[in-house]
């Protein structure tokens, strides 16, 4: 019941919010792998990777839930039109 309520709330958000949330997963993906270069213990690296990669996935799936099927089609059409103009 709680998951259904959260899903309905996410789907009620705007297209712009969905795009912002979806794009916010990119820095988390980058950070999840870039932190491997830090001079810290392997345990700390594993914990950081888990947290940052989890945040990336959360933003990705949350953004896709907000956009929904229609938002995804709208975004895909926009990028396809941009590629055909070049």
């Amino acid at each position: 019941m709680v998951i259904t309520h959260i899903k309905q709330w996410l789907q009620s958000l705007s297209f712009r919010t969905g795009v912002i949330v979806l794009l916010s997963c990119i820095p988390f993906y980058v950070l999840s792998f870039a932190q491997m270069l830090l001079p810290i213990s392997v345990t700390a690296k594993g914990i950081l990777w888990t947290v940052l990669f989890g945040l990336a996935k959360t933003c990705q799936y949350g953004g896709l839930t907000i956009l929904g099927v229609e938002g995804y089609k709208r975004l895909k059409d926009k990028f396809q039109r941009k590629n055909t103009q070049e």
Side-chain angles (χ1 to χ4, degrees), residues 63-77:
L64 289 173
T65 303
I66 294 167
L67 288 176
V69 175
E70 291 304 315
Y72 173 74
K73 287 179 185 176
R74 182 176 162 186
L75 198 59
K76 185 177 172 184
D77 290 342

Side-chain angles (χ1 to χ4, degrees), residues 11-76:
Q11 289 174 337
S12 71
L13 297 173
S14 72
F15 178 80
R16 181 178 177 183
T17 303
V19 171
I20 291 168
V21 171
L22 190 57
L23 291 177
S24 69
C25 74
I26 296 170
F28 288 122
Y29 277 124
V30 171
L31 288 172
S32 69
F33 291 102
Q35 59 81 27
M36 296 294 182
L37 301 173
L38 295 174
I40 55 177
S41 70
V42 174
T43 304
K45 287 180 183 182
I47 292 169
L48 276 174
W49 184 84
T50 302
V51 169
L52 292 169
F53 197 78
L55 286 169
K57 283 297 186 184
T58 302
C59 289
Q60 180 182 358
Y61 294 135
L64 289 173
T65 303
I66 294 167
L67 288 176
V69 175
E70 291 304 315
Y72 173 74
K73 287 179 185 176
R74 182 176 162 186
L75 198 59
K76 185 177 172 184

